[in-house]
Amino acid sequence: MKKYNPTFPNFPHMLHGGDYNPDQWVKTPEIWDEDMRLMKLVHGNEMTMGIFAWSEIEPEEGVFNFSVFDTMMDKIYENGGRVIFATPSGARPKWLADKYPEVRRVTENLQHEPFRTRHNHCATSPIYREKVRIINEKLAERYGKHPALLGWHLSNEYNGACYCEKCADKFRAWLKEKYGDIETLNTAWWTRFWSHHFNSFDEIEPPSKVGEQSVQGLSLDWKRFVTWNTTDFMKEEIKALRKYSDHPVTTNCMGFFSGLDYHKIGKELDFFSNDNYPNWAEGVKSCAIDLAINLDFCRGVKQGQPFIIMESAPGINIGGMNFCKVKTNEQQLLEAAKMISHGSDSIMYFQWRKGRGACEKFHGAVVDHYGKEDNRVFQNAVKVGEMLEKLDGVVGCGVESRVAFVYSNEQRWALSGENCVAGWEDKNGYYATTRAYYRAFYDKNIPTDIISYEDDFSKYDMLILPTAYILSEEMGKKLKDYVAKGGILVATYMTAVANETDLCYLGGTPGAGLSEMFGLRVDEIDSYAPVDGFGRPMPVTNSVSYGGKEYPLNGIAECIVPKGAKALATYTSNIQAGTGAVYENPYGEGVAYYIGFYQDGEFPAAFISDMIEKYGFEPPAPIICDEGICLRKREGDGENYYFVLNETEETKTVTLDKTYKNMLTGEEMSGMQTLGTCGFLILTDK
Ligand code: GLA
Ligand code: ZN
């Protein structure tokens, strides 16, 4: 495997830095110098500036003031650091919101927002786009040639949608472009149902919370439009920067966030970056898996290219949790090593320094209100910085996987649509299924990629296709072609039930021609909900028998009619008793597997373990690991870096198969090694 080009060719180092708001400290500029002293102490080399700084840079319409950032660009550079500069569009100043009401979003409840909070602009508003263009151009003109500048960070965590008339009009135009004529749309959305037929595109409204919620084709297209419009807004941001700067651009994403299709957004970015806030208090192993799957997703967005962790928490994260548990020293370091092991070329934080007021003042920061370096969180950041300085060789290295998960938020959108399947609402089942099968590989230390439907399938020996509920004819052909040419495909329940506009396939499912490939037909979709409609636990009344063990059902269970496929597992009870639940079907030179039920328990582990053995997948090195240790490898241009991570709170051992060099201590290592709680090794070939 070749190394990828470093994201920043003139600065091919692991980045260590984070969100820095010197604009919050204009009244105490001595803090800026203190920040420089502390940046060096922490082995920092990067600061992300400008996020939410619009009112500092343009305090009044057309009046620009760059003094803070002029000073800090120079200071950071003089102190050996570099800057990723953010465009300020994530929050707008009061004057802008007051003078131009259209820049404020109309919410899904059709309320026009007052000036408040952030991340709530209208992405369509020509005025907002124009104001963003002006300020972005000014920033690019001013800093595009500055030696401190590494790249651009667009806005902040683009998310959400606006339901204003301008957005509605744009949606109508988008639909017109997509469908051409209204009858085609009516057919695609099945609008004769409940008398929803449209006579013209002008009649269509976005599916707000208080509006239309019963046409899944509409809901799906709206979500697609929101991604498209966000991307369109983002492209205008990029265009403005490009006038004066060729530096690489990114925006900070949120992994499995379901509101946007990052595979589409990612195409416009020079590199992918993500915000990761693992909650180690949920349990080390469980947290490590959630983190790992997120990181593999990030690496997949740009076909394996390393990414940047734009934000992570030094100490506590105050978002989305009932209580904030501090991280132990070991957890903080393990977190950093883990992010690198899955493909990050940075550890960056939100935030560098805690502000004194407003709503994120207690959020973890490298520099606490206390302000000095003899603080536990700061000292952990020092250790991370020291570690990263030794890992420059890893920059640009990839991860080799023979297995990939094919994932799309479109499935999540379609599956969570109203009345998708009577009595079964999949708010999380798609992710839960993906995670359950991912974990099965993970626990055996088999690396997996997470790729999109548009990616090249042919480089993988095996594809896992979690519940591909909507699937186009074209995608059906792509999958058949993959298997016919020797690929192994494992698909789970409810595959190809409907096409891309959520019109169910006629003549038997899996549709899109896949029934033939799987050698079966799904006759009915039954479900064994874990709880009833009132949330009361339901008794388990059916299970799947596989390899001499029984696995209780807690979700969808399809009744399957085989058409040549061989059953590998059977249902034990009810109308499905004795019928097949998992099928294997050779097709062309490959094999297609179909798992007809949802199970987030032990079945995925048992089944995947057999697949691993049958098809000979192996961990990235013959290092013998105790259970609970994660083994990963990054490689490129003949260099190999091995990450051996103890993701448990117990002491574990590993046995090295040969002599390695320890990247962090420089010493040679061989034989048995002990890893304490959350301990890890980063090794390279001697
Ligand atoms: C997000 C945002 C940051 C900050 C953090 C807090 O990731 O991008 O601005 O609010 O959350 O965890
Ligand atoms: Zn709008």
Side-chain angles (χ1 to χ4, degrees):
M1 181 182 243
K2 266 179 65 77
K3 273 196 191 181
Y4 291 81
N5 289 332
T7 305
F8 309 108
N10 298 329
F11 201 71
H13 306 292
M14 282 282 162
L15 298 187
H16 189 218
D19 283 24
Y20 178 44
N21 297 99
D23 42 315
Q24 290 177 16
W25 301 91
V26 279
K27 300 269 167 60
T28 47
E30 60 280 9
I31 290 274
W32 299 342
D33 290 320
E34 183 62 0
D35 284 330
M36 295 300 97
R37 185 182 75 83
L38 293 167
M39 178 180 83
K40 284 186 286 190
L41 279 184
V42 87
H43 300 257
N45 58 11
E46 189 276 348
M47 291 288 200
T48 314
M49 291 202 294
I51 304 172
F52 308 126
W54 199 330
S55 68
E56 172 64 30
I57 301 168
E58 192 181 3
E60 288 171 53
E61 187 169 15
V63 177
F64 292 90
N65 164 28
F66 297 96
S67 54
V68 177
F69 295 108
D70 285 354
T71 306
M72 292 318 299
M73 288 295 279
D74 293 346
K75 272 193 199 295
I76 291 169
Y77 188 67
E78 283 155 18
N79 286 282
R82 296 290 187 277
V83 172
I84 295 181
F85 211 101
T87 67
S89 65
R92 76 226 61 77
K94 182 78 160 68
W95 61 258
L96 179 54
D98 284 356
K99 183 161 176 197
Y100 305 106
E102 70 166 54
V103 307
R104 290 185 262 123
R105 189 173 283 184
V106 171
T107 69
E108 58 185 3
N109 293 314
L110 300 188
Q111 281 171 335
H112 192 191
E113 290 239 295
F115 173 73
R116 63 187 284 272
T117 186
R118 61 171 182 177
H119 295 165
N120 55 353
H121 62 266
C122 168
T124 302
S125 160
I127 294 174
Y128 198 60
R129 287 182 176 220
E130 175 62 4
K131 293 295 176 194
V132 170
R133 180 192 66 77
I134 293 169
I135 199 162
N136 285 9
E137 277 188 14
K138 295 252 182 224
L139 288 169
E141 186 179 14
R142 194 143 191 118
Y143 301 126
K145 301 272 174 309
H146 198 289
L149 188 74
L150 287 181
W152 298 101
H153 170 310
L154 301 160
S155 200
N156 194 69
E157 294 184 344
Y158 289 116
N159 69 81
C162 173
Y163 293 77
C164 78
E165 262 317 299
K166 287 196 164 56
C167 286
D169 274 341
K170 205 164 178 193
F171 178 47
R172 291 174 196 122
W174 182 86
L175 290 170
K176 197 158 182 208
E177 170 83 28
K178 175 169 179 176
Y179 292 102
D181 65 274
I182 195 68
E183 237 357 83
T184 308
L185 174 143
N186 278 305
T187 307
W189 290 1
W190 205 250
T191 56
R192 280 174 173 83
F193 180 76
W194 287 353
S195 211
H196 274 48
H197 185 270
F198 297 106
N199 288 328
S200 92
F201 286 96
D202 298 339
E203 292 177 1
I204 297 167
E205 301 285 346
S208 75
K209 270 262 163 65
V210 292
E212 187 58 77
Q213 294 280 315
S214 58
V215 181
Q216 279 91 58
L218 165 65
S219 303
L220 254 178
D221 273 337
W222 171 252
K223 294 220 157 91
R224 290 174 176 137
F225 165 76
V226 170
T227 288
W228 177 84
N229 200 27
T230 304
T231 312
D232 188 56
F233 179 89
M234 187 181 87
K235 279 159 77 177
E236 284 201 22
E237 288 219 46
I238 298 172
K239 199 169 144 208
L241 297 171
R242 284 285 173 257
K243 194 164 169 194
Y244 296 101
S245 164
D246 296 331
H247 291 77
V249 299
T250 192
T251 184
N252 53 340
C253 297
M254 299 174 275
F256 280 99
F257 169 65
S258 65
L260 293 168
D261 184 344
Y262 284 147
H263 291 120
K264 298 237 156 50
I265 287 180
K267 286 205 173 76
E268 309 300 328
L269 304 174
D270 295 311
F271 64 101
F272 192 74
S273 71
N274 206 61
D275 299 342
N276 277 91
Y277 290 99
N279 177 13
W280 296 100
E282 82 182 48
V284 173
K285 187 43 102 185
S286 168
C287 175
I289 292 164
D290 283 326
L291 180 57
I293 191 172
N294 257 276
L295 299 168
D296 287 351
F297 174 85
C298 294
R299 198 180 64 243
V301 174
K302 291 198 78 72
Q303 293 76 44
Q305 184 185 316
F307 54 93
I308 293 291
I309 294 290
M310 191 62 85
E311 299 177 18
S312 62
I316 62 168
N317 167 290
I318 56 167
M321 288 170 219
N322 293 332
F323 63 92
C324 308
K325 185 103 194 74
V326 298
K327 292 174 201 173
T328 65
N329 302 343
E330 293 81 9
Q331 287 166 353
Q332 189 85 56
L333 280 148
L334 175 71
E335 176 177 315
K338 177 114 194 110
M339 288 169 167
I340 305 296
S341 73
H342 286 262
S344 176
D345 278 353
S346 79
I347 297 298
M348 280 140 61
Y349 308 108
F350 180 86
Q351 49 191 338
W352 168 255
R353 178 184 277 279
K354 287 182 184 176
R356 291 192 69 187
C359 70
E360 289 183 328
K361 59 183 173 294
F362 295 121
H363 193 291
V366 178
V367 184
D368 185 68
H369 294 135
Y370 166 59
K372 303 248 172 18
E373 60 270 34
D374 57 338
N375 152 280
R376 194 183 71 92
V377 172
F378 189 92
Q379 286 307 319
N380 280 332
V382 171
K383 289 191 194 115
V384 172
E386 287 170 346
M387 170 170 94
L388 295 178
E389 276 177 354
K390 296 178 180 144
L391 299 180
D392 274 353
V394 183
V395 171
C397 284
V399 174
E400 188 76 55
S401 310
R402 289 174 60 201
V403 178
F405 284 76
V406 184
Y407 186 93
S408 167
N409 266 349
E410 292 218 347
Q411 301 299 354
R412 221 161 161 181
W413 299 338
L415 285 161
S416 60
E418 316 71 33
N419 301 322
C420 177
V421 175
W424 189 65
E425 214 186 350
D426 190 342
K427 289 277 185 274
N428 292 300
Y430 183 60
Y431 176 73
T433 297
T434 308
R435 188 188 190 277
Y437 286 89
Y438 177 88
R439 177 175 192 159
F441 285 98
Y442 189 84
D443 284 345
K444 299 268 174 189
N445 278 328
I446 309 299
T448 49
D449 285 350
I450 298 180
I451 63 171
S452 85
Y453 282 71
E454 277 68 46
D455 286 325
D456 176 13
F457 295 166
S458 68
K459 60 180 187 193
Y460 298 100
D461 296 338
M462 179 181 273
L463 291 182
I464 310 293
L465 186 69
T467 307
Y469 162 74
I470 48 169
L471 203 93
S472 64
E473 297 274 1
E474 194 193 341
M475 197 52 65
K477 286 202 189 81
K478 183 171 172 180
L479 288 166
K480 277 171 95 167
D481 188 51
Y482 167 75
V483 178
K485 290 194 176 130
I488 314 295
L489 179 72
V490 178
T492 68
Y493 61 96
M494 285 173 68
T495 293
V497 174
N499 74 3
E500 65 278 19
T501 63
D502 206 12
L503 283 183
C504 290
Y505 279 111
L506 303 178
T509 62
L514 294 180
S515 189
E516 180 210 353
M517 181 186 76
F518 289 114
L520 53 81
R521 181 173 71 75
V522 174
D523 206 32
E524 283 186 273
I525 303 175
D526 197 0
S527 84
Y528 295 88
V531 288
D532 69 10
F534 301 98
R536 291 176 300 215
M538 297 271 279
V540 175
T541 57
N542 201 351
S543 52
V544 166
S545 167
Y546 173 73
K549 255 190 96 174
E550 289 193 6
Y551 300 90
L553 289 169
N554 58 351
I556 292 289
E558 293 174 325
C559 309
I560 298 171
V561 181
K563 301 259 176 204
K566 180 177 138 203
L568 301 182
T570 47
Y571 293 110
T572 59
S573 320
N574 301 346
I575 58 149
Q576 297 102 334
T579 69
V582 177
Y583 283 94
E584 178 185 62
N585 196 46
Y587 181 80
E589 286 167 35
V591 188
Y593 292 88
Y594 192 88
I595 300 168
F597 59 93
Y598 172 84
Q599 220 257 357
D600 57 6
E602 289 168 7
F603 173 80
F607 181 73
I608 293 302
S609 167
D610 290 345
M611 292 284 108
I612 290 171
E613 198 168 311
K614 177 160 182 172
Y615 294 106
F617 300 126
E618 296 202 339
I623 296 174
I624 300 166
C625 300
D626 278 358
E627 205 182 309
I629 294 204
C630 177
L631 176 63
R632 281 292 179 276
K633 180 168 86 170
R634 285 186 66 178
E635 61 187 287
D637 296 348
E639 293 165 30
N640 298 307
Y641 300 94
Y642 308 88
F643 295 77
V644 191
L645 313 164
N646 179 5
E647 295 171 347
T648 76
E649 283 167 306
E650 295 136 40
T651 299
K652 298 277 179 184
T653 60
V654 291
T655 308
L656 305 179
D657 55 304
K658 60 175 189 184
T659 304
Y660 290 90
K661 184 176 152 210
N662 183 324
M663 293 291 294
L664 304 183
T665 63
E667 42 177 43
E668 291 188 358
M669 297 189 112
S670 56
M672 192 189 272
Q673 306 293 328
T674 303
L675 296 176
T677 307
C678 297
F680 59 88
L681 295 170
I682 305 178
L683 308 170
T684 190
D685 299 319
K686 189 173 68 97

